[in-house]
Every structure is written in C-alpha cells, then in structure tokens.
Amino acid sequence: DIQMTQSPSSLSASVGDRVTIACRAGQRISTYLNWYQQKQGEAPKLLIYGASNLQSGVPSRFIGSGSGTDFTLSISSLQPDDFATYYCQHSYSAPLTFGGGTKVQIK
Amino acid sequence: QVQLVESGGGVVQPGGSLRLSCAASGSSFSTYGMHWVRQAPGKGLEWVAYIRNDGSSQYYVDSVKGRFTLSRDNSKNTLHLQMRSLRAEDTAVYYCVKGKRDYSNYVFEYWGQGTLVTVSS
C-alpha cells in the first residue's frame, strides 16, 4: 500500500496569507495526486486532480504542484471560506489512500 | 452534476449486518466507477471499496475484504454495500462517491452527504 504523509497536521493563518500544505507519497506516483477540502459537518469536495488540474468551479487561488513523491497545495490568498481540513489522496492504484489531513485554522 | 443520496445507516451490534444503498440522479450512471469512502468520528478519510462502471470488478481495503460486498444495479442507478461481521472499528460516516470518468475513476469527483453506521452493543 502507498502511504501518504501530510504536513503540517494543522496551521493557523490570517485572511490574505499564502498557505502551503505538503504531501509526500511512500513511492513514486507520477502526478496521480488529488486534493480535497472538507468543512466541518460536510462531505469532502474535490479541489485539484492530477497534481495540478483545478476542478471546475474551484477558485484559482488554489494551486497544486509536484510529481513523483512530493506535492504541495497552495492557497495564494486565504479567504474566510477556506478555513477547513485538506486531504491529499493518491489515485495510482488500489488500495487508494489519503493523507492524514491538514486543518487550517484562523489565527 | 450528479447527486448521490445514501441510505441504510444505523446502529448495529458487533457481528451484525447492514446494507447501505446509494441512489444516483441523472443519466450515465452506468458509465462511471463508484466508491465508498468512510470517516470514523473525529478521524480522517479511508477508502473502502470500488466497483467498475459495469460491475465486472470490485476492489476493497484489506480491513473489509471477505466481510463487505459492493454491487450496483445500473438499471436502477443504485449502488449497494453489504456489510457483514461488523466490528466497532467499522463505526463511521460512509460516503458514496462518483469517480471522475473523464480523467480517472480513482479521483473522487462527487460525494453524497454520508450515512452514519454505528457498531455498538
């Protein structure tokens, strides 16, 4: 199984800040990496697929990058609606696994 | 856009069984793969199972192999997860999820609202 490791597990930031979340895969997965946002009490929502492709309807302040084993999700200017938990997930092969999540909180 | 509505969750004793269902709106249900993903209370996300668009293949996380069975009825736009020999660690919100057909069915494109399964005596 491919292990996915996210860092940090939580962070505090202010509106307008640039935020970066890291995700590392336990083996090389090319660009088979996706990012999800989950707000409290809601289902997750797809943000980025294929490491850097923005899902339809997602604001352009969300930027995904990376390939191989190391990936990042950046939010260029944090907005009040962005306070949530973010998960990475590989789509290389089954079993599909998620990172442990990064909770973005208000400073 | 697809809408997914789960049902069948509830409280069950350890060792018991439960059948979850997911109803998909819209056409083209038979053209995309489907998943179940679960989330234990206060925990992260865990992929549970996947079924191909035509139902010909299923994949499971090791912890549910031999206990859970995933099936689909494309004539009724429904997905079913039969869960047997339930354990306390199966307690979670179970999400029905549609694969992103135009890119990869292993990308979780649309999620239902989830149904809670509680395994407790």
Side-chain angles (χ1 to χ4, degrees):
Chain A
D1 299 5
I2 300 173
Q3 185 168 359
M4 307 300 295
T5 304
Q6 273 183 251
S7 61
S9 56
S10 66
L11 65 89
S12 296
S14 301
V15 172
D17 285 352
R18 181 180 181 89
V19 167
T20 298
I21 299 168
C23 178
R24 174 165 287 178
Q27 67 180 65
R28 296 184 65 83
I29 57 170
S30 184
T31 56
Y32 293 95
L33 191 284
N34 315 297
W35 291 97
Y36 302 85
Q37 176 194 64
Q38 186 178 33
K39 297 179 182 177
Q40 189 67 31
E42 297 184 7
K45 170 187 170 184
L46 176 64
L47 297 177
I48 301 283
Y49 63 94
S52 61
N53 300 296
L54 197 65
Q55 172 69 354
S56 176
V58 174
S60 58
R61 63 180 179 273
F62 291 93
I63 303 162
S65 64
S67 66
T69 61
D70 293 306
F71 303 86
T72 59
L73 172 69
S74 296
I75 308 173
S76 60
S77 177
L78 199 64
Q79 299 300 302
D81 192 48
D82 301 338
F83 293 96
T85 300
Y86 294 84
Y87 294 92
C88 63
Q89 172 246 337
H90 84 81
S91 48
Y92 187 77
S93 64
L96 310 172
T97 52
F98 291 88
T102 298
K103 187 172 185 177
V104 176
Q105 300 174 292
I106 301 173
K107 182 182 284 185
Chain B
Q1 182 166 337
V2 173
Q3 285 197 320
L4 304 168
V5 179
E6 303 95 336
S7 61
V11 180
V12 60
Q13 292 188 339
S17 298
L18 210 56
R19 189 193 196 208
L20 304 184
S21 296
C22 172
S25 68
S27 58
S28 305
F29 178 74
S30 63
T31 65
Y32 46 84
M34 294 291 296
H35 303 261
W36 288 94
V37 175
R38 67 185 179 184
Q39 186 169 36
K43 302 298 184 182
L45 300 168
E46 179 183 38
W47 170 78
V48 175
Y50 167 73
I51 188 167
R52 288 187 57 162
N53 65 300
D54 59 2
S56 60
S57 297
Q58 302 86 33
Y59 301 96
Y60 302 91
V61 68
D62 282 351
S63 60
V64 309
K65 282 181 183 175
R67 300 189 299 122
F68 289 13
T69 303
L70 182 53
S71 62
R72 63 191 297 161
D73 184 341
N74 286 344
S75 68
K76 297 181 179 178
N77 284 13
T78 56
L79 184 72
H80 301 290
L81 183 67
Q82 179 67 52
M83 304 186 294
R84 298 182 176 88
S85 302
L86 283 161
R87 307 166 180 167
E89 54 265 35
D90 295 318
T91 295
V93 174
Y94 285 72
Y95 294 102
C96 170
V97 186
K98 171 191 174 294
K100 188 171 176 61
R101 179 190 61 186
D102 60 351
Y103 183 79
S104 165
N105 277 303
Y106 285 176
V107 175
F108 305 129
E109 184 174 29
Y110 292 115
W111 299 62
Q113 84 287 352
T115 187
L116 177 61
V117 172
T118 302
V119 184
S120 174
S121 55

